[in-house]
Amino acid sequence: MNRGICLSLSALTLFLVACVGEPSVTTQEEQPTKESTGPFFRGEVGPGRYSEVVFGGRSAGEARLVRAQEGYFEDVEPMQVSNNEIVRLHEVATGAVYGTDQPILHDRYYCTFVSVRTGCVYARETGSICDGAWRPDGQWETTGGALVDISAWRVTAQQVASGSEALGEQIDNSYENLLRCDPPDDRNRSHYEVIARRRSRDE
């Protein structure tokens, strides 16, 4: 995805390997309702740290779950939500760097931008883009003054079918996330057919 100066620094990943086990899940009492869309943190793994975030959708039956990869989400207040219902989550990936006698534990911070209404993950970024605030017009303004239209980063079936975007295993490029960001319908059915054939060949 071409994002100019706001390209993710994720490509410079430091050979992380998973080093944390599956956290025990302790569900909070608060759950999505028809009147609220969340997000709701669940699966406490430490003070203010959670393994999952639930987005309520328009009703409780439309709840969507976003799970942290290799780490946890931090419940930081106040939570910043744009006027077009995009929230910035604070995610920390925990891993280990090998190459010495003892592995060195390493934490890497990500800002994860998610639609409060659908649970669509627009982006999972790190670096200077994470430090900023929402403008009244819905754009994200970094402390360096760069303006970013996060909503324009929503992945679509047409992009994946054309090859301009690739599916992967991260929370922002998984097939499950594509279904949330661009649900199948008559408009994009042909693109999903292309994607289905491609996924079948890759299995």
Side-chain angles (χ1 to χ4, degrees):
M1 186 176 293
N2 185 3
R3 302 174 185 171
I5 62 172
C6 296
L7 279 173
S8 169
L9 298 181
S10 299
L12 302 179
T13 303
L14 297 175
F15 300 103
L16 297 182
V17 298
C19 70
V20 292
E22 185 77 3
S24 58
V25 175
T26 303
T27 303
Q28 292 182 298
E29 292 182 1
E30 192 173 25
Q31 296 293 331
T33 67
K34 291 184 178 180
E35 292 74 32
S36 60
T37 59
F40 300 85
F41 291 89
R42 301 194 315 181
E44 188 170 7
V45 297
R49 300 176 177 180
Y50 300 88
S51 61
E52 302 172 340
V53 184
V54 177
F55 296 88
R58 292 302 185 188
S59 68
E62 297 176 358
R64 299 291 185 267
L65 175 69
V66 175
R67 188 172 183 82
Q69 292 185 233
E70 308 154 344
Y72 54 85
F73 291 111
E74 290 184 320
D75 185 2
V76 178
E77 296 293 342
M79 186 172 291
Q80 295 192 46
V81 181
S82 71
N83 60 7
N84 51 354
E85 298 183 289
I86 301 175
V87 63
R88 177 193 61 175
L89 297 177
H90 302 276
E91 183 183 356
V92 177
T94 305
V97 177
Y98 291 86
T100 60
D101 293 338
Q102 296 293 330
I104 301 174
L105 295 181
H106 176 82
D107 288 347
R108 188 175 182 85
Y109 171 80
Y110 291 91
C111 54
T112 303
F113 294 93
V114 189
S115 166
V116 172
R117 183 173 59 85
T118 66
C120 166
V121 179
Y122 289 91
R124 182 177 184 254
E125 300 290 324
T126 188
S128 60
I129 190 174
C130 294
D131 192 8
W134 296 109
R135 288 163 46 100
D137 61 4
Q139 292 195 85
W140 178 257
E141 183 174 7
T142 70
T143 54
L147 297 181
V148 186
D149 183 6
I150 300 293
S151 64
W153 292 359
R154 182 181 68 91
V155 67
T156 66
Q158 181 178 11
Q159 291 173 327
V160 176
S162 68
S164 62
E165 292 291 335
L167 293 178
E169 298 181 356
Q170 303 297 316
I171 59 176
D172 60 340
N173 64 12
S174 67
Y175 182 69
E176 179 184 34
N177 189 58
L178 174 63
L179 294 175
R180 296 177 181 179
C181 295
D182 192 19
D185 57 22
D186 291 339
R187 170 186 52 84
N188 58 22
R189 191 176 308 279
S190 62
H191 302 309
Y192 270 103
E193 290 172 352
V194 172
I195 296 170
R197 290 194 295 268
R198 187 179 301 159
R199 295 183 74 217
S200 180
R201 291 196 304 265
D202 294 339
E203 288 180 352

